[in-house]
Structures are given as C-alpha cells and as structure tokens.
Amino acid sequence: MDSRMTILRDARPEDELLLACARTAADAETAGRIGALLRQRLDWSYVLRMAQRHAVVALLYGQLHGAEAGLVPADVLLAIKEAYRAGAQQSLGLTGELLRLLDLFADHGVGAIPLKGPAVAAMAYGSPGLRRFVDLDILVRREDVLRAKALLLAHGYRSDLPVAERHEQIYLRTHYVYEFERDDGTVRLELHYRLRPRYFAFGLDAAQLWDRLEPIAIAGREVRGLSAEDTLLFLCAHGANHWWERLSWICDLAELIRRRPQLDWETVQRRAQALGGERMLLLGLLLARDLLGAPIPATIGLRVRADRVIVSLARQVRARLFLEPEHGPGLFAGALFHLRARERRRDRLRYCLRLATVTTAEDWALLPLPASLSFVYSVIRPFRLVGAYGLRPLRRSHARAAGNQT
C-alpha cells in the first residue's frame, strides 16, 4: 500500500495544522508534526474559521484536546470545544430525524437509502458526532419520488421549489433532487431520485445499486445503505462535482479507506471504468493520499502517475483549498474542471449538451408554456445562457478544454 502525505506548497502553518488534525487517529509522525506546528505563532481565529468552513471542527478538537498543556491557549481550546459540541448536537438531532423519515417511508412501502450525512458518519467515522452535516439526503427510486414527496408534505415538511404542476414531469426528467424544509425550519432535506445531476452523466444510480445494499449501524439501528464500494464511488463523484472545495469530503474518503481495509479495489476500479468515472475516482484517491496520508494500493498510485490530467486537477484543488470562498471557480471554470475530470469523449460531449439544454425554473419563468410545448425551453436555454454570461468565457473554456483532452 502506498501511503504518504504531501505538504501544500507555500502553505501557512495554520493550513498544515488543519491537514494534520483532519483525521480520527494520528500516527506518531503526524502527532509529532502537530506538536511542532503548535509551537509556532498561529492565527487561531483563522484556524477556527477554516475548520468550520471545511466542517472538520470535531476532528480538530479530537487532536488538540490531548495536546501538551500550554500549546493550545485555553480560550481557543474552549471555543473549539463549544463549536464541536454544537455541531455534534446538530448531527445527532439530524440522525434521529433521518431514522424517523426512514420509518415513515418504510411504513408506506417506499424504499429509501440514506446518503452522505449519518450514513457516511457511521461507515467512515463510527459516530455521527465526528462528521458535521447540516442537512439530510435520502435516495428513493424514480417511480416512488412523487409518493415520497406527498408523504413529506403530509408529515411536517414544505418545499419552496418553484415547480408548477405543468412543469413537474419536465423536472423529473431533467433534474435529480427535490428540496424540503421542515415546517419549524430545523431540518433541510434533499430527496434524491438520481445520485448526481443529469448533466453530470454519471450513472451510478442504475437499478443494480439497489441490489448491492449492505447493513449500516446508525445510532444503534441497522439500516440498509450503499455498499462501501458504491459509497467510495459516490463520494468521488460528489467531490468532483463540487471541485473538492471542502476538506471534509476528502476526510470522508480517507477515513472510509482506513476503516474498510477489506475494500474490493478491483470491483471499485471496474465499476468506475464502466461508468466513465475512473478519472474522478483516481483524483479523489490522490487527494486523500497526498493530503491526508490515506493508504491506497500501489497499483492505483501507478495509474494516477500515468495520467497527467489527474495530477493537474489535484494541483488545482490543492491551490484553491484554503482560499476564501469568493475565489472559487466561476461557471465556465467549474465546467472546464468537470470536463477534464471525465476520461471518455462521449461523456464530455453529453455533459456539454445537457448543461446547455437541461432547463430550470429560471427558463420556465421566462415564458409560460403548456406541457405540450415544453421542448421549446431547451431551444431557448442556450440563448439565455449566452445573454447572461456572454460568449467570451465560453470560447476561453472551449479552447482550454480542446488543449486538455489527454
């Protein structure tokens, strides 16, 4: 197994500290590095702000509360502890609500799978309190989504999604999730019927996925969830979709790999190749290895080094990881990242076509049309995008994509 950790070039010590602490257990080398960093002059307000932004406060506290006396100022440690407890309390409350909703769906014959949140906390960390999450994600089958939606609306949830009845079928064909909020405002829920946006062209939510579920222990209850191998692929696709802009997503990968040494790596690679998602898989694994020391098979390390695009994308993620949010990628830079993260030409083409033609509520608001003329929205959308963003960014992104097709 190949496991090493790479320091970010020109990283400030606060960022290095967060990387060293972003794990449930530190080996002797990492613990020594944490101690050395704590002896430097640190901007603790920055550390706490970045830990909250990257949702790793629990992991930070786990490493710092046992540090040598005096290395962490008492007021700083107290602030981190309070932030950890608040996050853990929220995560535990959401976990209870998830179990209630799973029971609700089961009572009405709706199959449901918990995604991210409590499920990943249980699989990768062993405790919901160690993974911060602020909403819930549940996957149902496409044919059950309207029944599930009706159940939620009848049991304390509301949806502000501006989808008129005549647009419901368009939405179901072209999107992947309904968003809900509990009436008291305490819980936000995403009801998925696909795992990723349709334009992302990642077919992990095929029917076979439901046949590969495995038991997961969440807060003392056994529920059915994605297998470890499918979870790994889903986490890599989710991270790539969001440009790996949050450290906690890389932590999820690293902790899952550490807790599941029996992972079937051959199956993971085979499924990724079949889905056209091998580059996304390898990118996620490279980040988990280089930033957090996750052990990955040497054969996978060799495949990573053979793909210059993966190395380039990882460098891009690392360079942006600790920038302030306003420095995130814009529409076209983000689209270019997605294009480069796909190895198959047909997936890149499908991504562009769907991104340009899959309509949204903004498109529907421009012109009220009957359902029989819904195809007109797809014709209008490219013109609306050009009007909103202009052609210059599109030309730049197209030219860069053409030069990065390897």
Side-chain angles (χ1 to χ4, degrees):
M1 302 285 275
D2 184 359
S3 106
R4 67 173 186 268
M5 187 163 57
T6 302
I7 303 297
L8 293 177
R9 180 176 298 178
D10 299 325
R12 53 190 294 175
E14 293 86 357
D15 297 339
E16 291 187 36
L17 179 66
L18 285 172
L19 289 173
C21 291
R23 63 203 69 221
T24 54
D27 57 22
E29 180 182 356
T30 305
R33 182 176 164 216
I34 292 172
L37 288 165
L38 291 177
R39 287 176 171 82
Q40 298 186 36
R41 185 183 297 274
L42 299 173
D43 181 346
W44 284 107
S45 63
Y46 172 89
V47 171
L48 182 54
R49 186 173 78 252
M50 279 295 171
Q52 290 173 322
R53 177 189 150 197
H54 286 283
V56 293
V57 171
L59 300 177
L60 178 67
Y61 178 69
Q63 297 300 328
L64 295 187
H65 84 281
E68 181 183 329
L71 290 183
V72 183
D75 60 328
V76 169
L77 191 60
L78 179 60
I80 296 173
K81 180 180 181 179
E82 290 177 346
Y84 155 62
R85 284 185 170 176
Q89 184 176 5
Q90 182 181 38
S91 295
L92 290 170
L94 287 170
T95 299
E97 179 66 2
L98 170 72
L99 296 175
R100 186 184 79 86
L101 292 175
L102 292 179
D103 287 342
L104 173 66
F105 290 143
D107 290 344
H108 290 82
V110 175
I113 303 173
L115 299 175
K116 299 186 287 184
V120 172
M123 293 182 70
Y125 299 87
S127 168
L130 291 178
R131 185 185 191 273
R132 179 72 191 275
F133 45 92
V134 297
D135 58 9
L136 295 173
D137 296 81
I138 295 177
L139 175 69
V140 299
R141 291 181 174 87
R142 164 66 178 79
E143 58 268 26
D144 288 335
V145 66
L146 292 183
R147 275 205 301 150
K149 176 185 174 183
L151 282 170
L152 290 170
L153 293 176
H155 288 82
Y157 279 82
R158 62 176 181 265
S159 177
D160 297 326
L161 188 68
V163 178
E165 185 175 347
R166 67 179 182 275
H167 296 139
E168 187 97 58
Q169 291 305 314
I170 306 174
Y171 186 87
L172 287 171
R173 285 197 309 270
T174 57
H175 290 71
Y176 76 109
V177 65
Y178 279 95
E179 296 181 356
F180 295 88
E181 184 175 44
R182 206 162 74 174
D183 287 339
D184 60 9
T186 60
V187 179
R188 293 197 63 81
L189 167 69
E190 292 191 353
L191 182 70
H192 297 248
Y193 50 96
R194 295 187 182 96
L195 285 179
R196 301 297 339 133
R198 191 165 179 266
Y199 67 80
F200 205 60
F202 188 73
L204 184 58
D205 53 341
Q208 296 93 329
L209 181 149
W210 291 83
D211 298 327
R212 300 196 294 254
L213 301 181
E214 65 177 43
I216 304 172
I218 298 180
R221 284 269 307 275
E222 184 177 287
V223 304
R224 304 290 287 176
L226 298 182
S227 69
E229 290 75 18
D230 285 335
T231 297
L232 188 71
L233 290 172
F234 171 62
L235 292 176
C236 288
H238 176 266
N241 186 40
H242 295 284
W243 316 292
W244 289 107
E245 62 185 3
R246 184 179 296 176
L247 179 58
S248 63
W249 298 333
I250 306 174
C251 293
D252 293 344
L253 270 187
E255 293 298 321
L256 179 64
I257 292 168
R258 290 190 180 103
R259 287 182 63 89
R260 296 295 182 107
Q262 76 280 17
L263 269 168
D264 187 341
W265 287 103
E266 182 179 345
T267 294
V268 170
Q269 287 186 268
R270 185 173 66 251
R271 288 178 188 167
Q273 290 167 352
L275 293 165
E278 185 179 28
R279 186 172 281 174
M280 286 189 287
L281 168 69
L282 297 179
L283 172 60
L285 296 179
L286 175 61
L287 292 169
R289 183 196 70 181
D290 283 3
L291 294 180
L292 300 177
I296 65 174
T299 53
I300 290 182
L302 290 174
R303 291 189 66 84
V304 167
R305 286 194 289 271
D307 191 329
R308 290 177 297 173
V309 174
I310 294 174
V311 175
S312 172
L313 290 172
R315 189 180 302 117
Q316 186 177 338
V317 171
R318 291 196 297 265
R320 200 172 53 232
L321 189 60
F322 291 108
L323 296 179
E324 297 297 340
E326 60 267 21
H327 297 292
L331 172 68
F332 291 102
L336 178 59
F337 184 96
H338 291 160
L339 287 172
R340 297 184 70 206
R342 306 309 295 268
E343 64 267 18
R344 297 192 309 208
R345 187 182 298 272
R346 68 175 181 270
D347 291 326
R348 293 193 291 263
L349 178 61
R350 194 183 313 167
Y351 172 91
C352 292
L353 289 175
R354 286 179 175 173
L355 190 63
T357 60
V358 170
T359 59
T360 67
E362 289 178 298
D363 300 300
W364 306 332
L366 284 176
L367 184 65
L369 293 172
S372 59
L373 294 178
S374 61
F375 68 91
V376 174
Y377 291 119
S378 295
V379 177
I380 294 173
R381 178 169 169 79
F383 295 98
R384 188 182 71 79
L385 291 176
V386 169
Y389 299 102
L391 286 171
R392 185 174 299 176
L394 183 60
R395 290 181 184 131
R396 283 202 302 267
S397 293
H398 178 74
R400 290 180 64 190
N404 290 293
Q405 300 261 319
T406 57

